[in-house]
Amino acid sequence: MKKIIFIGLILGSAESFGQYGINTATPSATFDMVSKGNTAATKAFEINDSSGQELLKISDNGNLGVNIGNSLPTNVLHVKTDIKHENLPVLLPPYSPLGVDASGAAKVQITSTKYFYYKRTTSFGNFTLSNVNTYTNVPFTNGTDVKGNTTGFGFGTDASATVNGQSVSNVSYLIIPEPGVYLFEMYQTAYCTGSPTSSSNTGQIALNTVFATAGTSGTTYTTNTIFRDYIVARRSVGGAVNSSSYAYANPQKLIVAYQSTSQNEKVALFINYVGGDSYNTQTCQMNMPNNSDNYGYLIVTKL
């Protein structure tokens, strides 16, 4: 009998006012339900299946939970398993990041490859190749040699620093602005003029290209990766055989996949003598190979 009276009152209210109220005598909407509690642990609305499992619930703090069992929703929208959308563009992995525009509408961000491209137009050098404790910095400066920089790399110079415990002045470094995995690919060529100061049985000079890091603000660089190449003797600048010449352009390469974990990490590159013939005078440098238009390049791609 009570149910019949309650239904009758609702119908009467609907006909008179067109509004329904639960737990409120003055509904302010067509359907107005007021929660009995005032904490996140209070459920204002709940729908169960035939076995008593909670399918949908709204907590008093406004959090909505869908298919999360008997737990309370911990976010504004808390959903277990996938949400299905229809009539949206179909994407293939890897998926583009999802964000919102200024109005709050969900959007798929258009992805593009971020890169840094440095093409050297002048030589650098005048360094010795005779001491394993000497490091020659490979300079990178912000200017016309930068052909592209969508990664947002920065530039800086440490007036004094150490590399693996050895003092180095005027270290030119690059700043990686954001964490991620970056592929560094560098190519340049080295040569020395005149006869070597000392000769060995190798007939060549072993040379390291060193990729070093110094955190975000330090001046202490430590080796991350080393690539070893050689300067081969018995070649003139044009490639002709010459008994003691180291004037031919010899490739020096570096390929490093580096994972940056902090904002504004500093990285720098160095040349380091390893062994073989030696030059203890500053007559070695990076040169331009025949038929080339540059003295080397560095390409960095954010993976």
Side-chain angles (χ1 to χ4, degrees):
M1 185 66 182
K2 290 181 179 179
K3 292 182 179 178
I4 295 173
I5 294 173
F6 176 71
I7 293 171
L9 289 173
I10 292 177
L11 292 175
S13 174
E15 291 175 354
S16 302
F17 305 104
Q19 294 179 319
Y20 300 92
I22 298 178
N23 204 33
T24 176
T26 56
S28 60
T30 302
F31 182 75
D32 188 358
M33 181 175 65
V34 178
S35 175
K36 290 184 177 182
N38 57 8
T39 69
T42 304
K43 287 181 285 187
F45 181 73
E46 176 182 306
I47 297 177
N48 301 318
D49 65 10
S50 59
S51 62
Q53 292 295 314
E54 297 179 8
L55 302 178
L56 184 145
K57 72 195 74 177
I58 301 176
S59 293
D60 190 69
N61 65 350
N63 288 353
L64 171 64
V66 180
N67 197 35
I68 62 173
N70 294 328
S71 301
L72 290 169
T74 57
N75 296 89
V76 175
L77 176 61
H78 188 165
V79 180
K80 186 176 181 180
T81 68
D82 294 336
I83 300 175
K84 183 177 180 179
H85 299 274
E86 293 188 357
N87 299 322
L88 291 178
V90 177
L91 301 176
L92 297 176
Y95 301 109
S96 300
L98 180 67
V100 296
D101 62 15
S103 68
K107 301 289 184 181
V108 175
Q109 181 181 8
I110 299 175
T111 59
S112 60
T113 301
K114 292 187 176 181
Y115 72 97
F116 172 78
Y117 177 30
Y118 192 93
K119 184 178 179 182
R120 197 179 302 280
T121 56
T122 58
S123 179
F124 77 91
N126 296 326
F127 50 84
T128 63
L129 288 177
S130 61
N131 188 339
V132 296
N133 294 320
T134 299
Y135 291 83
T136 299
N137 179 229
V138 180
F140 294 97
T141 55
N142 192 11
T144 57
D145 285 353
V146 179
K147 304 303 181 184
N149 187 13
T150 60
T151 55
F153 275 19
F155 303 81
T157 301
D158 287 323
S160 61
T162 61
V163 184
N164 298 326
Q166 306 300 318
S167 296
V168 182
S169 299
N170 299 319
V171 173
S172 170
Y173 60 84
L174 294 172
I175 303 170
I176 303 175
E178 60 183 15
V181 178
Y182 296 82
L183 179 64
F184 286 74
E185 300 174 273
M186 189 181 74
Y187 179 91
Q188 57 190 10
T189 57
Y191 82 120
C192 298
T193 58
S195 298
T197 306
S198 65
S199 299
S200 66
N201 294 328
T202 64
Q204 58 189 9
I205 304 173
L207 199 62
N208 284 339
T209 300
V210 179
F211 180 92
T213 60
T216 58
S217 59
T219 58
T220 301
Y221 291 85
T222 56
T223 295
N224 174 274
T225 305
I226 292 175
F227 259 64
R228 180 168 298 176
D229 282 296
Y230 298 89
I231 304 179
V232 181
R234 299 179 60 80
R235 288 293 184 269
S236 67
V237 67
V241 174
N242 187 302
S243 60
S244 61
S245 175
Y246 277 82
Y248 190 66
N250 289 264
Q252 311 296 313
K253 302 176 294 295
L254 177 83
I255 302 175
V256 178
Y258 177 67
Q259 182 175 4
S260 175
T261 57
S262 303
Q263 289 183 327
N264 301 322
E265 284 196 53
K266 297 166 60 177
V267 299
L269 282 72
F270 301 89
I271 295 297
N272 175 229
Y273 172 78
V274 182
D277 292 359
S278 66
Y279 283 81
N280 61 16
T281 57
Q282 296 180 335
T283 55
C284 299
Q285 56 186 296
M286 298 298 164
N287 66 336
M288 182 187 294
N290 287 345
N291 301 317
S292 176
D293 66 344
N294 65 84
Y295 288 83
Y297 60 82
L298 172 67
I299 299 175
V300 186
T301 308
K302 187 176 182 183
L303 302 179

